[in-house]
Structures are given as C-alpha cells and as structure tokens.
C-alpha cells in the first residue's frame, strides 16, 4: 500500500501544479482581454494625462510584453509581494487577514451541515414513505431552492436589525471574545448550511435506502445482529462513504470561495468578500491571488477525498494497481 | 452441413491481451491479462460450434473479438474468406449483417426506452432494407417466428418475462437474415423450464434459416445437446475440440475430464454410483 | 414406537405481500418436515416461492407489507409468532442461512475474520481474541488454504468459491442445528459447485448438520438431498424421498421438469422435451391448480385446487397435488418420455 500511495500522491501533486498553472494563465489572459481593464488608466486618477499614464505604465511594468508581466506576477505571488493595483496594499496581507474569518465560516458550517444532514437523512430513510419523510423532502427542497444571499439578507434583517437577537453582521475575533465570535457566526453558518443540509440529507437518504436493500445487510440480520448493530456497523458505514467524499469536495470549494455570497451579505470580510471586491474593481493581483488560493484548496481537497475514499472502501485501489 | 469448400468462419491464432499499467510518472505496461491467448477455431455453414468454459476462461472476450466488438491484439478472423481483423468500422458495417450476437442477460440487452417493434426492426431500418408498413410487416413476421405475437410490437421490454425478452433478442438477431449467430450464454439466466423452449427455438431457426451458431455456455449439458462440435476453453486457450458426443463421452484433455466429472447427474442412483466409484479409486 | 419430533415442522405457512399492483401470494399453505440430520431440498423456479419460504423461516420477510400465517416449529420454538428478539437470538445461532451470491452477501468494507467474529460475539460472551481464533479454525475447516493469513483479507480478494466457503464457515460458527442454503451454488462455476456440494455433504454426513437446500438445479438435488419438495406457483406440488421424486414423479410439472434436463451420460434426444408457457403471475394466479394452463394433461377437475395428499397406496409419505389417477399418471409419464430413467442401464 505504501508505494502505491506514494505513486498516487506524486502524480496528484504534478497534476495539481498543472492545474494551477493553467488556471493562472487563463485568469491572466482573460484579464488582459477584458476592455476597460487598463489599470494604468484607473490608477492615474480622475483626469489622467497621457504622461501620467505612461509613467505609471513604466513604473508598474505594464509596457512589458505579456509573458514578462505574467512571470513577474507569478514571482510576486510566490514571494508574497503581490500588491493591489487600486489600493496599493499588500494582497498577501489582506488574504492573511481574511483567512481566519473564511475558515471559521467554512469549518463551522461544514460540521453543522454534516451533523444535521446525517441526522435528517437517517431519520427520513428509516421512515421512508411516511408523512415525516415527505415533509422533510419538501423542507429539503425549500432549503436547496433558497438563494443563500436572499436567506442571509432576510435573516440579517429580521433576526438581526429588527429583532436584535443576533448582530446584523460583522465578525469578532475568536481570541478577543469567543462567545461573541460564536454569536456573530450563527446566522452565517445557518444561511450557508441550509442549502447543503437539504442536498446532503436527500442524497444520504437514498444511499441508506439503497444500502438497506443490499445482500450483506440481509446477511447481517441473518447472523442475528441487533437492528442497531446492523444499522450502524453495516448500513451507515457503507452509505456514508459517498457522502464523506462529497463533503470533502464541497468543503474545499467553500474555503476556496464558494462562501463569497454569505461573507458579503454578513460583512465578514473574509477571503471570499475580498475576492468579490477585487472582481468588481477589476483589480488583477488580488483576483489572481484569490483564484490561485481557491484553486489550490479545491485541488488539494480533491486529492484528500480520493485518498480518503481508498482508505474507507478497500475495494478501491489507487491508480496503478493491477486489473484482475 | 457443408463439408466442402471454405468454412464460414475461420479463426487463426486469435489473441486478445489487456495490458496492466503501472508507474509513478508514466504508465508502463507491467503485466498482461491474456484473455484470449492464441485460439484456432472453424465453423462451417449451418453448423453449431459449442464453446464451453468456466468464468475467466475468456469465452466472452473471444465472442467479442470474433465479431470485432473489441479489437483483437493479433491473429486472424476470416468470415466467408474475408479477413475481418484490421478492418475499419465503415468496412465492417456491411459484413455485420451476416454476423449477429445474442447476449446473456435478457434484462440488460434490450433498450428499456424502446418498444419491441423498434428494437427488432432497428437493424432492418438502419440498413435501409425496409420502412413503413413493409417494415412493420417484416417485424411482425419475425415476432411470430420466435413465438411472440404481433400485438407485442408496441410493448416495452419490462412488460415481458426473461424468456420472452430472450425471444425478442433472438428476433432482433435474425432480422437481417445472418449466416452466423454468436450466442453468449443465451439461456443461463433463464428458468430451467424456459431454457428448453429457447434451445428448441434456436434449433428450429437453424433448420429454417440455415444458420451457423457459436453457442457459448457454462452448462455442458445444454451445449452438448445443441452442438455438432464442441471446443473447451481454459485460461484463454482451447484445450480440446471435437465432435460433441466424442468430447463428452471420451474426453482426452485433463481439464475437460475434470469439467465433465464435476457436472451433477440428475439421477440419484447414478450419482451415488459415481461417488462410490471415485471413493473406491481414491 | 414414535419417531422423534422433526427438527423443523412447517404447517400451512402462507406469505403474501401487498404491493402497488395488488396482493402477491408468494407462499400458499406450505407444509413440510425436516428431520435432524436430513437434507431436504426445496426445488422450484423463479416465482415458485421457495426463497420466500426460506427467508420467512428466518424472519427476514417481516415488514409492514407482509402477511405471514401458519406455523413453523423449530427446536420447540414457534417461529412465525415469535417475537423479534426471540427470533434474533436463534438467527445465526441455532439456525443459520447462506445465500446465493457470496460476493454481495459479505460486507465489502470489513475483513472476513471480523465478520465472523461479529457473529460469534453477537451470541456468545467471549473475548475478541478467542473469537478470532475460532474464526480462523472455521476458515481452515471449510478448506480455505493458509487460513490464518487469509483471514485478514477482504471479501473481494477471494474467488467466488472461496467466498462461499467463508459464508459457510461464518454460518457454522456457532454450530447451528439447521443450515438453510438458498441457491448456494448457482453463481459458481461447475467445478467449484462440485466442491461446495461435497463440503455440504460432508458436513451433513460427518457432523449431522441438517440442511434445508433451496435450489432450481435438479442435478444438485440428486447429489445431496434425502427428501425433496417441489414447489410451483407458491405451492408444494410434490413431496417425497429423493428416489420417489426422481423415479416415480407424480406431478406433471415434476416429470416435465425432469424430462427437460440435458444429460451428458445419455444419448441426445432429437428435441428437448419442453414445458410450454410461463410460470404463473402470483398477482392473479390461475383458478384451481396453478400448473393447469401449462399442463398438457389438464382436465375439468383441475379448476379445483388439488390437496397435497398421498395418492399412492404403497408410499404414504409421497404426497402430490394432482387429480389424475396414479395409473393414468404412469401412462402419461411414460408417454412423455420419463420412464427411460427408471430402467437402470
């Protein structure tokens, strides 16, 4: 298993580098093709003169050929010297500042949605066809259908400003005040989780129902195991495998930026919100940095999920194993 | 049986290997699965060649390789004297009319979204041989020939039992009046009382249409009943060929003997006798 | 002198399922006995009700859509009315079951030894180390080579025949009195099938294991059974000793089935005798004898359900469900080609 795993990881690392390279090139090219994106013009202020624009161009290297600009940008990215065109601030610092906020949101939401999804999925599966199952199906559908920004805005308004139960938005450092930190995150966590709970609980429900019809579950009963043992050791153990792998992928995507809407609505000023600002400001360095950041997490989690799958299901062999 | 002239199907040294790849950066082939490892067979027009083997023997791969449904690694397959290996899809298409296949699983080999009429008439229509009312007439005739009724034309596969679905598959296979049908375990998934019906149907069709069969099965009894000659396959190679009765009554190869000895005899006295005899010689 | 009570005594067992399309009568008043140390084969095709009978005895068909009636007495316990917990204590412990497809019947994510240990510890208070040792002993006893090493393998790492041996080892781990085997060799190659049958036979002969064998393979029946019950359309249509069923079948379905078998030790018939038609729909079965629509010898009395009873004076334990007179049966059977089997070579 060792050498197989090593082989697998090496191949994945290489493909990750390839993906990141491709992403960076594409982002860079797109940015340079969009009209009105001339940063020199924007940097020059309200009433730019030609000389000013020229000077900025030279200073910032916008007159260099594209591939040189690209190389410089990549170098800056890795050394952490990337600077925003519009705000002149260090992109790296901004991302570093936003990271704990995004992680708080992502990790909290991921744990919450998983816990609820398992509970509700299992409940629906065991009561399949009955009223409670159908009710949960409708609720899940509602949850999946509600756009997160709409739900977030509603919650922020009704539970936040009007009722005053939760703060409208904003973020409090965990180190400053853990309770406040938690309280500020309850609504964002809920808004982000609702969609996933709806989706995951349905997927898990059908997985469980399918697994319960499997022959080995029948064997487990025939062995005289208690219903509880059959459920936990055989049914759940098998039906959770696809869910856990899905969860890994979604988690990677959330960290990588899928939480943009939630962060923006609640003003958490995490990496996602930073990305939104950068995009609306047509600011290439932060966009590039955030995109690479996102791509890295997504690819990394993809790889972790594949490894986890192989660990959870002994039938899965990582690439390179003999086909018998 | 056509004794003179060229055989209908001639297979020489047919090989199909599946490479096993491994490697850190670049995939290298480290091993091969030798599914079909040098097979020689002939089938004369109107003859039935039975192919017997256990799972992993390569008989299913052999069927597919002969019909060029998978590309052989090497070797020759001549149909009516014409070499098939290496032909492109375009060139193979007209030849496919003469060679058809029946599959094992009557539940998986019919498109559930199509009606019976479309399934059976499909080959005729695709080859531009008939359309409209004439097509329908031909299809109904085919359905009748395999023991179904014309009103089944508009139904869907899931409305039929396993045996009936197999009949639909057979109707489809004979639609183009082929010369050769490769039947890959056509009765294995069916109930015993239905198996006899399908075997008899295949027998009748052979007499009516002058078909040649390659009949693949793991049930030696059924194979022997329907075949003129039998080939025994083991680990990708043919270990014995010969007249059906000869192979079953006087097997020469050890594996064939082992296979025949394992077949249960549906006769309690004989089976007790056989066990006593083998204990005595042990 | 009274014979000892049978190990398993099934009386008027009936199972029906309510489905979207209506009520399916899967098992219709089935009665049979299995004596200790005996092998009883229940033979039938799809839809005959044989598998449902077996799984019902284990209590695996219980559910909101199932209606189960009748009695099944096993070692003094009545199974049909037994509570879930009572039944659970018997399952895997006093009566065990093995199934058709050993690949899908073993949990793919657990090692083989752990699955056996799980069963042992569900019924006995032993340490996992002890259970593990016992499991390895069992794997060795059923013929798994290098049992200690292979015990830690996963199911997909074994071949079909080995997996079935694993299932047998697991089923026997607590030394049950009864093994129910549901099509144990159907998914296996013929050479492997022969080995599994030999294994089962030796377990029966040497350890006195009673076996209820469910199968559609008549050849297998001839190799191992003591008594046979032939099922068709949810009912037992014939019931007797192995020799009685094979050499004096009393029901047209039985001899039709026997006729349609191919035999490699006899000359080939020109045409394989066949039973026309298809098995009956259990949603709307035919009135009277279920075999009537396919029976070449049906007559007007057949619209009334024949009772399962002994119609041969000399064989009071040979029961069948056919209205035809025994003499008539003999004539028709001979005509249908059956008698060739009765004359030894």
């Amino acid at each position: 298993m060792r050498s197989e795993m090593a082989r697998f990881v090496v191949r994945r690392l290489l493909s990750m580098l390839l993906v990141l390279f491709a992403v960076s090139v594409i982002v860079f090219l797109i940015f340079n093709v969009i009209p009105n994106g001339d940063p020199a013009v924007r940097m020059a202020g309200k009433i730019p003169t030609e000389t000013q624009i020229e000077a900025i161009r030279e200073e910032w290297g916008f007159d260099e050929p594209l591939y040189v600009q690209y190389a410089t940008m990549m170098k800056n990215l890795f050394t952490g010297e990337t600077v925003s065109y519009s705000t002149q601030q260090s992109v790296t610092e901004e991302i570093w500042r936003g990271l704990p906020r995004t992680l708080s949101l992502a990790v909290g939401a991921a744990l919450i949605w998983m816990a609820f999804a398992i509970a509700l999925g299992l409940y629906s599966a065991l009561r399949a066809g009955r009223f409670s199952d159908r009710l949960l199906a409708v609720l899940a559908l509602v949850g999946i259908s509600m756009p997160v920004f709409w739900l977030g805005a509603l919650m922020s308004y009704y539970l936040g400003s009007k009722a005053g139960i939760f703060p409208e938005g904003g973020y409090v450092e965990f180190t400053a005040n853990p309770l406040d930190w938690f309280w500020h995150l309850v609504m964002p966590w809920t808004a982000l989780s609702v969609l996933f709970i709806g989706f995951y609980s349905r997927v898990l429900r059908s997985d469980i129902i399918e697994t319960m019809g499997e022959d080995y579950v029948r064997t487990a009963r025939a062995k005289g195991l208690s219903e509880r043992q059959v459920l936990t050791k055989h049914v759940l153990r098998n039906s959770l495998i696809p869910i856990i792998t899905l969860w890994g992928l979604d988690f990677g995507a959330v960290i990588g930026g899928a939480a943009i809407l939630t962060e923006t609505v609640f003003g958490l000023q995490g990496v996602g919100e930073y990305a939104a600002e950068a995009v609306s400001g047509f600011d290439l360095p932060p966009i590039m940095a955030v995109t690479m950041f996102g791509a890295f997490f997504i690819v990394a989690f993809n790889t972790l999920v594949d490894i986890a799958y192989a660990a959870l299901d002994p039938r899965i062999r990582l690439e390179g194993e003999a086909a018998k | 049986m056509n004794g003179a002239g060229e055989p209908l199907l001639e297979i020489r040294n047919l090989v199909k290997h599946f490479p096993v790849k491994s490697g850190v950066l670049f995939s290298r082939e480290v091993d091969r699965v030798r599914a079909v490892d040098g097979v020689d067979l002939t089938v004369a027009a109107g003859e039935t060649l039975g192919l017997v083997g256990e799972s992993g023997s390569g008989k299913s791969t052999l069927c597919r390789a002969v019909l060029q449904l998978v590309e052989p690694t090497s070797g020759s397959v001549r149909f009516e004297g014409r070499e098939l290996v290496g032909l492109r899809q375009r060139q193979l298409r007209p030849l496919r009319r003469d060679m058809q296949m029946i599959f094992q699983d009557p539940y998986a080999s019919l498109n559930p979204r199509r009606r019976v009429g479309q399934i059976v008439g499909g080959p005729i229509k695709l080859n531009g041989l008939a359309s409209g009312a004439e097509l329908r007439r031909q299809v109904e005739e085919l359905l009748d020939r395999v023991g179904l009724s014309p009103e089944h034309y508009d139904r869907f596969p899931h409305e039929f039992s396993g045996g009936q679905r197999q009949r639909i598959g057979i109707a489809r296979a004979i639609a183009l009046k082929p010369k050769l049908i490769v039947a890959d375990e056509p009765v294995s998934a069916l109930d015993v009382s239905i198996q006899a019906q399908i075997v008899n149907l295949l027998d009748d069709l052979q007499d009516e249409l002058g078909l040649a069969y390659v009949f693949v099965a793991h049930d030696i009894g059924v194979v022997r009943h329907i075949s003129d000659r039998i080939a025994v396959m083991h680990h990708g190679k043919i270990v014995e060929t010969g007249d059906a009765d000869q192979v079953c009554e006087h097997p020469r190869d050890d594996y064939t003997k082992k296979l025949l000895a394992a077949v249960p005899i549906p006769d309690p006295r004989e089976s007790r006798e056989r066990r006593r005899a083998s204990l005595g010689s042990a | 002198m009274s014979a000892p009570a049978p190990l398993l005594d099934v009386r008027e067992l009936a199972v029906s399922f309510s489905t979207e399309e209506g009520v399916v009568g899967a098992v219709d008043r089935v009665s049979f006995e299995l004596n200790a140390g005996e092998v009883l084969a229940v033979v039938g095709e799809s839809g005959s009700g044989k598998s449902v009978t077996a799984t019902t005895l284990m209590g695996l068909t219980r559910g909101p859509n199932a209606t189960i009636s009748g009695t099944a007495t096993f070692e003094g316990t009545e199974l049909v009315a037994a509570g879930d917990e009572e039944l659970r204590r018997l399952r895997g412990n006093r009566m065990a079951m093995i199934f058709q497809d050993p690949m899908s019947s073993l949990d793919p994510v657990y090692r083989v030894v752990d699955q056996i240990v799980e069963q042992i510890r569900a019924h006995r208070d032993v340490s996992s180390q002890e259970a593990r040792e016992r499991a390895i002993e069992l794997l060795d006893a059923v013929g798994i080579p290098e049992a200690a090493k292979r015990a830690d393998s996963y199911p997909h790492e074994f071949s079909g025949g080995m997996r079935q041996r694993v299932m047998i080892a697991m089923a026997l781990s607590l030394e049950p009195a009864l093994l129910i085997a549901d099509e144990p060799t159907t998914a296996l190659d013929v050479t492997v099938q022969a080995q599994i049958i030999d294994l089962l036979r030796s377990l029966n002969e040497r350890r006195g294991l009673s076996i209820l064998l469910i199968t559609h393979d008549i050849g297998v029946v001839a190799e191992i059974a003591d008594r046979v019950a032939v099922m068709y359309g949810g009912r037992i249509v014939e019931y007797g000793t192995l020799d009685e069923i094979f050499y004096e079948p009393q029901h047209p379905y039985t001899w039709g089935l026997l006729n349609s078998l191919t035999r490699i030790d006899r000359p080939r018939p020109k045409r394989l005798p066949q039973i026309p038609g298809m098995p009956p729909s259990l949603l709307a079965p035919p009135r009277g004898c279920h075999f009537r629509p396919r029976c070449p010898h049906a007559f007007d009395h057949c619209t009334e359900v024949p009772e399962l009873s002994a119609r041969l004076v000399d064989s009071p334990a040979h029961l069948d469900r056919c209205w035809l007179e025994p003499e008539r049966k003999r004539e028709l059977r001979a005509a249908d080609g059956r008698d060739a089997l009765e004359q030894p070579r």
Side-chain angles (χ1 to χ4, degrees):
Chain A
M1 197 61 185
R2 284 289 138 95
S3 62
E4 204 174 281
M5 183 73 81
R7 255 182 274 154
F8 176 73
V9 170
V10 167
R11 289 181 87 143
R12 277 318 191 89
L13 281 177
L14 285 176
S15 67
M16 173 161 25
L17 287 177
L18 216 64
V19 166
L20 291 177
F21 176 66
V23 166
S24 64
V25 168
I26 291 172
V27 169
F28 187 77
L29 287 177
I30 289 178
F31 192 84
N32 278 287
V33 160
I34 294 177
N36 236 5
D38 192 336
V41 171
R42 276 181 291 116
M43 271 196 224
K46 286 281 176 198
I47 309 161
T49 66
E50 265 309 305
T51 31
Q52 271 182 308
I53 295 174
E54 264 315 305
I56 292 174
R57 277 219 183 91
E58 214 186 294
E59 188 193 331
W60 286 84
F62 293 142
D63 49 348
E64 305 269 7
L66 276 182
Y67 60 85
V68 175
Q69 286 190 50
Y70 174 77
T72 323
M73 167 156 291
M74 286 296 113
K75 180 178 86 70
N76 288 340
L77 213 58
F78 282 107
T79 55
E81 285 168 14
T82 318
V83 169
S84 156
Y85 292 159
S86 27
T87 66
Q88 327 283 299
Q89 282 176 311
S90 165
V91 166
T92 321
E93 271 174 34
E94 287 293 316
I95 292 185
W96 200 242
R97 199 180 64 88
L99 192 57
R101 296 153 185 255
T102 303
L103 281 179
S104 302
L105 175 63
V107 173
L111 292 173
I112 290 175
W113 99 53
M114 202 48 171
F116 274 89
I118 294 179
L120 293 175
L122 187 57
Y123 186 80
S124 312
L126 292 177
R127 284 177 177 45
R130 305 232 275 261
F131 178 71
S132 43
D133 173 39
R134 292 176 207 262
L135 181 63
L136 283 174
V138 170
L139 289 178
L141 203 56
V142 169
I144 296 173
S145 316
M146 290 194 288
V148 84
F149 54 84
W150 175 81
L151 178 64
L154 276 187
M155 289 176 83
S156 172
Y157 180 66
Y158 283 107
L159 297 178
S161 340
K162 282 203 95 178
I165 304 176
F166 296 100
E168 280 170 32
Y171 178 84
V172 172
E173 303 281 336
F174 180 75
T175 42
N177 184 346
L179 214 58
D180 236 1
W181 167 86
F182 179 81
W183 209 238
H184 274 78
L185 282 169
V186 170
M187 286 204 297
W189 279 340
T190 310
L192 188 53
S193 301
V194 161
L195 156 73
F196 288 108
I197 292 176
F199 179 68
Y200 276 60
S201 62
R202 296 312 289 167
V203 174
L204 186 61
R205 172 192 177 276
S206 68
D207 260 343
I208 290 179
I209 290 179
E210 195 181 315
T211 307
M212 289 191 88
E214 291 280 355
D215 286 345
Y216 55 83
V217 171
R218 179 182 58 175
T219 304
R221 291 208 177 96
K223 294 199 304 197
L225 300 180
S226 70
E227 201 54 28
R228 197 176 60 82
Q229 274 176 306
V230 172
L231 209 58
T232 48
K233 290 195 71 186
H234 294 277
V235 176
L236 273 182
R237 172 71 174 80
N238 275 276
S239 28
L240 282 179
I241 296 178
I243 301 289
I244 288 185
T245 51
L246 267 181
W247 184 78
L249 295 174
D250 275 332
F251 185 62
V254 166
I255 294 186
I260 283 184
L261 294 171
T262 319
E263 286 184 19
T264 313
V265 165
F266 288 99
L268 295 175
Q269 296 187 323
V271 177
E273 195 172 346
Y274 183 58
E277 285 167 12
V279 167
S280 55
F282 265 11
D283 204 350
L284 178 58
I287 291 177
M288 180 64 84
V290 167
T291 312
M292 298 292 278
F293 168 87
F296 170 77
F297 269 98
I298 290 175
V299 176
F301 269 86
N302 253 274
T303 308
L304 284 174
V305 157
D306 280 344
I307 295 177
Y309 211 124
L312 289 171
D313 188 342
R315 288 171 292 183
I316 309 290
R317 288 278 183 259
L318 301 173
E319 296 175 80
E321 182 66 354
K324 280 284 143 71
Chain B
M1 210 186 317
N2 174 23
E6 260 175 37
L8 182 68
L9 180 70
E10 194 174 350
I11 303 168
R12 289 256 158 272
N13 209 15
L14 190 62
V15 169
K16 178 64 187 168
H17 289 167
F18 294 99
V20 170
K21 296 198 162 132
S22 178
V24 175
L25 285 185
F26 301 101
S27 277
R28 274 165 309 123
E29 189 186 295
V30 294
D31 201 358
R32 303 185 140 216
V33 174
R34 297 177 147 73
V36 179
D37 206 12
V39 164
D40 293 330
L41 285 175
T42 57
V43 182
E47 169 185 50
T48 301
L49 173 72
L51 186 59
V52 181
E54 300 187 293
S55 49
S57 58
K59 52 193 201 298
S60 278
T61 310
L62 178 61
C63 290
R64 282 162 175 69
V66 165
L67 291 176
Q68 309 301 308
L69 295 173
V70 311
E71 200 183 322
T73 307
S74 71
S76 144
V77 177
R78 287 181 166 269
F79 183 75
E80 290 190 309
R82 178 109 186 249
E83 177 64 56
L84 299 180
V85 177
L87 286 187
R88 282 199 293 273
Q89 286 302 317
R90 234 180 343 109
Q91 297 161 303
L92 277 172
R93 216 167 282 145
L95 297 171
R96 287 208 192 286
R97 284 193 224 169
D98 291 330
M99 324 179 286
Q100 288 290 314
M101 190 154 173
I102 303 173
F103 303 90
Q104 172 175 359
D105 189 347
Y107 296 90
S109 57
L110 300 178
N111 189 336
R113 294 195 181 286
R114 295 189 150 201
R115 296 178 198 271
V116 168
Q118 290 170 291
I119 293 173
V120 175
I124 302 177
K125 191 163 174 198
L126 280 171
N127 278 277
L129 295 170
S131 61
E134 172 60 19
L135 176 63
R136 179 148 191 153
R137 192 191 65 76
Q138 285 190 16
V139 171
E140 284 178 358
E141 197 184 303
L142 286 166
L143 290 176
D144 180 60
R145 201 172 234 172
V146 298
L148 294 169
S149 88
E151 67 198 23
H152 291 149
Y153 189 98
D154 289 309
R155 303 241 199 105
F156 288 95
H158 68 259
E159 301 177 55
F160 295 90
S161 69
Q164 288 175 314
R165 283 188 225 200
Q166 205 59 308
R167 291 176 194 266
I168 296 170
I170 293 172
R172 175 177 61 184
I174 60 173
L176 295 176
K177 304 192 189 7
K179 303 201 174 87
L180 170 73
I181 291 187
V182 175
D184 188 1
E185 306 262 16
V187 297
S188 310
L190 305 176
D191 275 327
V192 174
S193 65
I194 311 290
Q195 280 187 18
Q197 294 177 14
I198 301 297
V199 167
N200 286 334
L201 172 64
L202 289 172
D203 244 339
D204 293 339
L205 287 173
Q206 183 172 48
D207 291 335
E208 280 172 40
L209 305 173
L211 296 166
Y213 289 134
V214 174
F215 192 95
V216 179
H218 61 260
D219 183 338
I220 303 173
V222 171
V223 173
R224 179 196 169 225
H225 174 82
I226 197 176
S227 309
D228 299 304
R229 286 165 50 237
I230 289 184
V232 180
M233 196 161 174
H234 185 53
H235 286 343
K237 293 185 162 50
I238 303 284
V239 298
E240 186 161 353
T241 341
D243 171 71
D245 286 323
Q246 273 298 307
V247 171
C248 290
E249 281 159 36
H250 306 288
R252 289 188 309 267
D253 179 82
D254 280 340
Y255 175 71
T256 314
K257 290 180 190 165
K258 192 170 143 211
L259 211 56
L260 289 166
V263 175
I265 297 182
D267 182 336
R269 287 182 198 133
E270 302 252 354
S271 134
R272 284 192 286 262
E273 193 47 49
R274 185 165 73 166
R275 264 178 282 145
R276 240 191 311 261
S278 73
L279 275 178
S281 61
Chain C
M1 184 186 80
S2 61
L7 181 70
L8 177 65
D9 192 352
V10 178
R11 300 246 157 263
E12 302 281 301
L13 184 67
V15 184
S16 58
F17 298 105
S18 43
T19 67
E20 278 172 9
E21 287 126 20
V23 177
V24 174
V27 178
D28 186 2
R29 291 173 301 128
V30 159
S31 306
F32 60 85
E33 285 173 10
L34 176 65
N35 296 308
E38 202 175 64
V39 178
L40 171 67
V42 178
V43 185
E45 299 175 296
S46 38
S48 60
K50 59 191 196 301
S51 278
V52 177
T53 304
T55 44
T56 302
L57 292 174
M58 291 284 279
L60 296 172
T61 51
R62 294 184 174 189
N65 296 334
T67 312
I68 308 173
S69 65
T71 65
T73 314
F74 171 70
E75 287 193 328
T77 311
E78 205 290 291
L79 301 173
V80 175
D84 285 333
E85 179 57 24
E86 203 181 346
L87 207 52
R88 185 200 70 75
R89 274 198 294 265
L90 290 174
R91 286 207 288 253
N93 188 9
R94 298 304 304 150
M95 54 188 214
M97 188 159 178
I98 59 175
F99 301 93
Q100 174 172 342
D101 187 353
M103 181 62 229
S104 57
S105 297
L106 289 169
D107 193 324
V109 303
Y110 289 108
R111 296 176 206 276
V112 149
V113 68
D114 292 330
Q115 299 193 43
I116 302 180
V117 165
E118 184 186 38
Q119 175 164 1
I120 296 175
R121 297 190 77 197
H123 296 281
R124 300 271 187 278
D125 193 13
V126 293
S127 71
S128 44
Q129 186 52 35
E130 275 178 71
R132 188 188 154 86
E133 278 163 20
R134 170 107 180 101
I136 295 177
E137 256 173 49
L138 286 159
L139 289 172
D140 184 56
V142 296
I144 307 263
E146 296 186 288
K149 213 171 76 161
R150 304 223 58 195
D152 288 317
S153 301
Y154 290 96
H156 67 272
E157 297 178 286
F158 289 91
S159 69
M162 287 292 149
R163 270 180 234 136
Q164 198 58 299
R165 289 177 196 265
V166 167
M167 291 246 22
I168 293 173
M170 191 160 73
L172 300 180
S173 54
L174 294 160
E175 299 188 320
L178 171 67
L179 175 69
I180 302 178
D182 189 359
E183 306 266 17
T185 57
T186 304
L188 306 174
D189 280 328
V190 71
T191 47
V192 178
Q193 173 177 278
Q195 293 168 4
I196 298 295
I197 295 175
D198 282 342
L199 174 61
L200 289 173
R201 193 190 303 114
S202 95
L203 288 165
N204 168 251
E205 283 168 4
R206 297 201 199 132
R207 296 204 198 181
L209 177 68
S210 315
I211 302 179
L212 180 66
L213 175 69
I214 312 292
T215 182
H216 68 266
D217 191 333
I218 313 239
V220 169
V221 173
E223 295 273 343
I224 194 176
D226 296 312
R227 312 196 78 229
V228 181
V230 180
M231 283 188 75
Y232 186 83
R235 297 181 181 143
I236 295 186
V237 296
E238 193 165 350
Y239 181 53
T241 66
L242 183 64
D243 286 14
E244 281 169 350
I245 298 289
F246 272 82
Y247 300 118
E248 303 257 2
Q250 295 298 301
H251 195 282
Y253 174 65
T254 312
W255 77 68
L257 208 55
L258 291 167
N259 275 348
S260 68
L261 297 177
T262 54
R263 293 198 44 169
I264 54 175
D265 58 332
R266 292 258 186 286
R268 300 188 254 177
K270 274 224 163 295
R271 199 174 162 70
L272 214 47
Q274 66 181 45
I275 305 178
M278 292 185 308
S281 149
L282 296 172
L283 269 171
R287 193 161 58 97
C289 170
H290 282 169
F291 188 60
R292 185 175 47 85
R294 296 173 82 183
C295 184
H297 313 300
F299 60 108
D300 31 301
H301 200 185
C302 299
T303 51
E304 194 187 312
V305 179
E307 279 312 302
L308 184 66
S309 55
R311 296 160 208 265
L312 287 173
V313 176
D314 304 328
S315 318
H318 187 175
L319 313 175
D320 69 81
R321 276 190 201 275
C322 180
W323 291 123
L324 292 167
E325 290 300 316
E327 258 315 301
R328 190 86 185 96
K329 282 171 180 164
R330 188 165 298 142
E331 285 167 22
L332 292 171
R333 195 174 69 212
D336 286 352
R338 187 68 192 84
D339 269 17
L341 209 56
E342 282 186 44
Q343 314 306 321
R345 275 169 289 125

